[in-house]
Amino acid sequence: MNATSPPVHAGVILSTNHIQFDPELSLRGGGCADCGAAAFPCPELCPNCLIPMAPRLLGRRGVLYTYSAIHSGPAGRNTPYTVGYVDLPDGARVFAHIDGPAAALEPDMAVQIRVVPQNDSVCITWTPEGDHDA
């Protein structure tokens, strides 16, 4: 990384429009009134039945579905880092950067969102519950 390159943050960078901070931290996704499907971010139409999706809060906790350690990354990114999928209680599954080494993780473990503000956006990662304040 040269002196003018910004650091590459481990996490998913999102607009603050995708996060609710008050009264409790939560992802802003969508839900289908017809079939009950949930998605993040909120698509215009339900991927199952193609009717309009309505905004829905999806919470801040989930269960780790699967994960993988990445050993080769872009310039400036510390490796290895861990990515995976998190299942949210309402049925949505989200791609996630996971805090911590893959050796400390296991499928079906409880995780919670961690948000780091960055100017007009946020960087989100998921961490095993109890490891950090989210």
Side-chain angles (χ1 to χ4, degrees):
M1 181 168 75
N2 65 40
T4 60
S5 297
V8 178
H9 298 281
V12 177
I13 306 297
L14 296 172
S15 159
T16 55
N17 295 334
H18 294 295
I19 303 287
Q20 175 175 299
F21 293 96
D22 226 5
E24 183 176 287
L25 180 66
S26 186
L27 290 176
R28 287 186 183 143
C32 178
D34 189 49
C35 72
F40 178 81
C42 183
E44 188 173 325
L45 299 176
C46 174
N48 295 337
C49 58
L50 301 178
I51 70 166
M53 294 281 269
R56 178 192 293 176
L57 294 179
L58 301 178
R60 64 182 285 171
R61 290 180 172 81
V63 174
L64 185 61
Y65 172 71
T66 190
Y67 61 93
S68 182
I70 308 299
H71 294 275
S72 178
R77 169 73 58 91
N78 291 332
T79 57
Y81 59 95
T82 307
V83 297
Y85 284 93
V86 172
D87 288 339
L88 302 178
D90 59 9
R93 179 174 287 161
V94 297
F95 176 76
H97 285 253
I98 313 295
D99 282 337
L105 303 174
E106 57 187 56
D108 298 324
M109 74 186 312
V111 293
Q112 63 187 4
I113 196 170
R114 181 172 171 255
V115 176
V116 178
Q118 295 186 345
N119 300 323
D120 60 348
S121 61
V122 293
C123 178
I124 66 167
T125 59
W126 293 79
T127 185
E129 279 198 355
D131 280 3
H132 298 285
D133 290 326

